[in-house]
Amino acid sequence: MKTATGTTVFTNGQLIDGTGKPPVADAALIVQDGRIAYAGPVAQAPPLPPAVRRIDARGGTIMPGLVEAHWHPTYFNVAALEDLDIKYPVEYVTLLAAHNARLALECGYTAARSGGSLFNIDVWLKKAIETEITLGPRLAASGREICGVGGLMDWNPDFRKIGMEGLVLLINGADEARAAVRKLVKDGIEWVKTYPTGDAAAPDSNDHHTLCMTFEEMHAVVATAHNHGLKVTGHCRATQGIKNALKAGYDCLEHGTFMDDEALEMLLARNVPVVPALQFEHASIVHGPEFRMGQKVIDGHKETLEGGAESARRILTAGGRLGMGGDYGFAWTPHGTYAKELTFFVKHVGLSPLQVLTCATRTGAEIMGRSHEFGTLEPGKLADVLVVDRDVLADISVLEDRGHFIAVVQGGAIKAGKLARPEA
Ligand SMILES: [Zn+2]
């Protein structure tokens, strides 16, 4: 992805730099050739060259672009498990993924980590975004996921004779786990996404207290992935699944739902980040009946929401790290509503807006392994910036409304927001 040339200055707003420091009122952000040259009070800003582009934040907020830490580009209005892979052919899903990528950028997300995709679409989507064939967040790709045979992602009954290989590599034992990772190495992914545990969505065979992979399988995944420079994450709800993942050397946990004291201690010892994805649970409870979700499923979501919220609070209080991302792409959590996650953490989990924004920017970039490049507004970093015409700390839900976005900026170039539209 190219960076802009020349100098741009953003003024007339508060600066939230993403480090967790309190906001700077009446700030200036100076961008030189796509990188941040200055971020601080306007009164102390260095002199500007004569030819400079000025962006007026209209009394609002200048902040880092958001990072979606658990994004599924190929999910599209998923209402049943089958919709994840056999609703549409891969050709159409590829177009939907490109559409979702553009939408995510328009929603202020300048970077995203894939939580798994159909076939290898996210790897190629990343390439298309990097070469500017299509607009979207800077991506970390995961490709197909790994799950034990009979586990959460192995839902199609054998009599249907439908293979699942487009979405998930199903394994039995450590050898097959290694073989699956090696396939993904060839695909060019960066994060190996696994299913150590079940979920409330599958109450009869793989509920949220069930394990879907053995420790040996998980350990084989990690050893193979790390050998090839890949990172490993997993869908972890059950306590024992969390502990297995931490012991096996996972680099991140998705959900981290039922953390006991020992699990929390293990997590903190290696400072492993967690992406709770709680708005999905909340929306499942609220909208489940409309989508004919069974009572057992809804009750399970209540349990995982409660457990997940409690774990998230404990992790952050104890000095751990949370990423903000949310499995968006279900019919009740459609693409484009990603910022509901941030509102949920403020309104229902009890985090402060500044804490949530730090999770959604700096920690997101850390999880992607790219915090030296973006995630905070500090000199030398890429100018991935979101300019909002409101005080996002006073009401974080303004981030749900793209109508408030003056500019969504990647590498100093305005890609979305009012200033990207000529009529605005
Ligand atoms: Zn997911």
Side-chain angles (χ1 to χ4, degrees):
M1 197 181 291
K2 287 196 248 10
T3 45
T5 52
T7 306
T8 307
V9 60
F10 302 74
T11 52
N12 191 22
Q14 64 173 341
L15 174 86
I16 296 168
D17 70 5
T19 65
K21 276 189 229 147
V24 176
D26 199 11
L29 178 77
I30 302 174
V31 174
Q32 182 74 51
D33 293 337
R35 289 185 182 274
I36 294 160
Y38 174 81
V42 71
Q44 288 160 35
L48 293 166
V52 61
R53 177 166 196 190
R54 291 181 181 276
I55 309 242
D56 183 343
R58 298 182 210 169
T61 305
I62 304 160
M63 58 177 279
L66 296 163
V67 182
E68 232 295 332
H70 184 132
W71 190 63
H72 291 288
T74 60
Y75 287 13
F76 193 84
N77 287 339
V78 172
L81 286 172
E82 293 81 7
D83 295 351
L84 289 168
D85 68 333
I86 53 176
K87 182 159 72 173
Y88 297 126
V90 62
E91 295 86 346
Y92 188 58
V93 178
T94 306
L95 294 169
L96 293 175
H99 171 84
N100 291 336
R102 187 189 186 109
L103 179 59
L105 185 66
E106 287 171 354
C107 290
Y109 287 80
T110 52
R113 183 184 61 137
S114 168
S117 98
L118 194 66
F119 289 98
N120 211 18
I121 290 173
D122 58 2
V123 169
W124 292 93
L125 180 62
K126 176 182 173 169
K127 199 178 280 288
I129 292 167
E130 286 299 327
T131 53
E132 302 191 328
I133 286 166
T134 191
L135 284 174
R138 302 181 195 275
L139 274 188
S142 285
R144 294 173 289 177
E145 308 173 339
I146 294 175
C147 182
V149 171
L152 180 65
M153 299 302 274
D154 189 11
W155 61 77
N156 275 323
D158 287 350
F159 67 79
R160 286 191 193 165
K161 308 269 186 249
I162 297 169
M164 302 291 296
E165 67 277 3
L167 187 68
V168 63
L169 302 167
L170 295 168
I171 57 143
N172 260 325
D175 274 347
E176 290 185 14
R178 277 186 279 271
V181 175
R182 286 169 177 163
K183 264 199 184 98
L184 296 171
V185 169
K186 284 188 74 177
D187 282 349
I189 62 124
E190 298 150 88
W191 276 89
V192 179
K193 165 76 180 294
T194 65
Y195 279 84
T197 78
D199 194 273
D204 297 325
S205 48
N206 286 291
D207 80 0
H208 41 292
H209 297 294
T210 312
L211 302 183
C212 298
M213 290 173 72
T214 65
F215 173 76
E216 288 71 27
E217 290 164 345
M218 293 161 71
H219 188 257
V221 165
V222 171
T224 313
H226 284 179
N227 174 59
H228 292 282
L230 310 184
K231 290 183 179 175
V232 180
T233 189
H235 175 97
C236 294
R237 296 208 181 274
T239 311
Q240 190 56 49
I242 293 172
K243 290 179 186 174
N244 285 347
L246 292 167
K247 209 166 111 194
Y250 273 46
D251 303 286
C252 185
L253 301 183
E254 309 308 306
H255 312 304
T257 305
F258 301 111
M259 309 265 311
D260 63 8
D261 291 346
E262 190 191 15
L264 184 62
E265 217 169 277
M266 291 168 76
L267 182 90
L268 296 171
R270 284 186 34 242
N271 198 17
V272 177
V274 176
V275 184
L278 294 180
Q279 166 64 21
F280 172 79
E281 307 299 322
H282 178 65
S284 300
I285 296 161
V286 173
H287 299 290
E290 296 158 42
F291 291 94
R292 289 193 219 113
M293 233 178 251
Q295 194 55 43
K296 249 169 143 180
V297 172
I298 293 172
D299 288 346
H301 283 305
K302 284 182 183 161
E303 202 190 326
T304 48
L305 176 59
E306 221 170 275
E310 178 59 16
S311 293
R313 276 189 291 264
R314 290 184 68 201
I315 291 165
L316 214 58
T317 306
R321 296 185 292 165
L322 297 180
M324 289 291 127
D327 262 329
Y328 289 84
F330 285 80
W332 48 95
T333 57
H335 277 281
T337 63
Y338 317 111
K340 279 183 186 287
E341 195 72 26
L342 313 186
T343 305
F344 185 84
F345 268 83
V346 172
K347 291 203 173 143
H348 298 278
V349 186
L351 271 53
S352 76
L354 193 62
Q355 276 179 311
V356 170
L357 291 177
T358 307
C359 296
T361 56
R362 186 185 69 187
T363 310
E366 286 171 1
I367 292 171
M368 288 179 71
R370 298 184 68 177
S371 57
H372 56 293
E373 293 179 273
F374 56 80
T376 58
L377 300 180
E378 296 174 294
K381 292 197 181 173
L382 288 165
D384 285 7
V385 187
L386 175 59
V387 185
V388 188
D389 69 4
R390 290 283 193 282
D391 176 359
V392 301
L393 295 176
D395 178 8
I396 199 160
S397 73
V398 298
L399 291 171
E400 293 177 30
D401 181 359
R402 288 179 273 156
H404 289 304
F405 294 177
I406 295 169
V408 182
V409 180
Q410 280 175 318
I414 297 172
K415 301 287 182 73
K418 282 178 192 151
L419 292 178
R421 295 190 291 273
E423 72 273 17

